[in-house]
Amino acid sequence: MGWDIVFRARFATPESPSQRFGRLSEAIRRRPSFCKFSAFKVCSDAALIRPLASLGDNRTDDGPVTHESVEALLRRYSSEDEVAISGTWKVIGERDGVATIGSVTVSTLGPTLGKQHIVPADVIWGVGDSRRYTAEGKENHPNTVQVMADVPILVEVGAESIWGVDSSLTIAPRHLFAVFHRDPNAFHDDGIDPPYPDLPIDSDMMEIALGASTKHAPHERIIHTDAGPIIYHEDLGNGGDLRTFYAGLRGVLQADAEEVD
């Protein structure tokens, strides 16, 4: 289909787009694989098509991307809440002895701009055209394991929820190829139809559901973080979805509900 692979993240703590971008940028700089900061812009719209300032290699840019020039713009817009700030990094890696190169574009959105998206978000993490990414690896593009290895940066800087949603932009199990919730009870709100039994979801339930999904759906994978698991399908947006995991979690909740009855 060629739709971009995009992860949408929400945070509990309010921050200006400049502050949040600064914290994300610092976390990214600690990763050697993010080898080049190649583009940066501040925009007045959520679609990132009306730049207020831009840095890069194009003639229309205000100058090259350097740490100093980015910091200067972040300071200039530090008190602006209704802007979108976006940066792109080149990412290098290795897969079975083959050098790979990809990119990540991170955008932080002001509260009003973030709500303009079909899936409201404070941060958008995009890795580009879905046709580049396969579980095995294609040409010199990263494979899906490499792509997902960087997503925990969002958790490290405080994301409450992360959704990888297909091109329908619908929050529902058949349209989600990746998900994370710091609070497991947030799984109740992921467009489950019919809704789950009205019971709290705890870590033990999650472990049982995750064990069942990896047994019956080997294409579903898990990245464990200190704040909970990131669950994803190895095909990402190329037809992957998490229905097996959500069905397994339903089974656990239904069993618990029957015990309560």
Side-chain angles (χ1 to χ4, degrees):
M1 290 172 56
W3 292 87
D4 282 354
I5 298 298
V6 174
F7 302 88
R8 290 165 166 81
R10 288 188 195 161
F11 287 69
T13 305
E15 284 183 294
S16 72
S18 175
Q19 290 172 318
R20 203 180 309 277
F21 188 93
R23 293 200 305 112
L24 277 160
S25 180
E26 283 301 312
I28 286 171
R29 287 181 67 197
R30 293 194 289 269
R31 296 214 173 191
S33 58
F34 283 72
C35 64
K36 183 183 179 183
F37 200 174
S38 59
F40 176 86
K41 59 184 175 180
V42 181
C43 296
S44 61
D45 65 309
L48 302 170
I49 59 176
R50 295 198 295 272
L52 300 170
S54 63
L55 302 172
D57 297 329
N58 296 321
R59 287 186 304 139
T60 54
D61 290 325
D62 301 318
V65 180
T66 66
H67 179 67
E68 291 74 20
S69 61
V70 168
E71 287 296 310
L73 285 176
L74 290 178
R75 287 193 298 271
R76 182 191 302 178
Y77 291 95
S78 61
S79 60
E80 297 286 340
D81 284 333
E82 293 310 328
V83 295
I85 297 179
S86 179
T88 299
W89 285 262
K90 295 296 182 185
V91 186
I92 58 172
E94 184 178 299
R95 180 188 68 250
D96 299 328
V98 175
T100 60
I101 184 165
S103 66
V104 170
T105 297
V106 179
S107 305
T108 57
L109 309 176
T112 301
L113 295 183
K115 290 175 183 176
Q116 291 177 8
H117 284 267
I118 296 174
V119 180
D122 299 302
V123 174
I124 307 293
W125 180 284
V127 298
D129 194 327
S130 63
R131 291 171 295 187
R132 299 172 183 165
Y133 305 114
T134 65
E136 297 78 16
K138 182 179 180 181
E139 299 170 346
N140 67 335
H141 301 298
N143 64 14
T144 54
V145 170
Q146 291 174 285
V147 167
M148 291 303 302
D150 295 320
V151 176
I153 291 174
L154 292 168
V155 179
E156 292 170 18
V157 298
E160 285 293 306
S161 293
I162 302 170
W163 297 272
V165 192
D166 69 16
S167 57
S168 74
L169 296 181
T170 301
I171 297 289
R174 70 184 297 266
H175 297 288
L176 289 168
F177 58 79
V179 69
F180 161 83
H181 292 303
R182 193 174 294 266
D183 177 1
N185 286 294
F187 285 101
H188 278 290
D189 302 323
D190 283 344
I192 312 301
D193 186 24
Y196 282 157
D198 188 17
L199 291 173
I201 301 172
D202 60 30
S203 58
D204 289 340
M205 292 177 178
M206 285 293 297
E207 287 300 319
I208 296 170
L210 290 170
S213 68
T214 52
K215 178 180 178 181
H216 298 292
H219 300 294
E220 290 183 358
R221 299 190 177 189
I222 304 163
I223 300 174
H224 293 282
T225 79
D226 291 341
I230 299 173
I231 308 150
Y232 73 97
H233 193 287
E234 65 177 10
D235 290 333
L236 298 182
N238 293 306
D241 67 65
L242 300 180
R243 280 179 286 181
T244 301
F245 162 72
Y246 280 94
L249 186 54
R250 178 185 295 281
V252 174
L253 284 166
Q254 286 177 334
D256 219 61
E258 290 170 4
E259 288 184 11
V260 172
D261 293 341

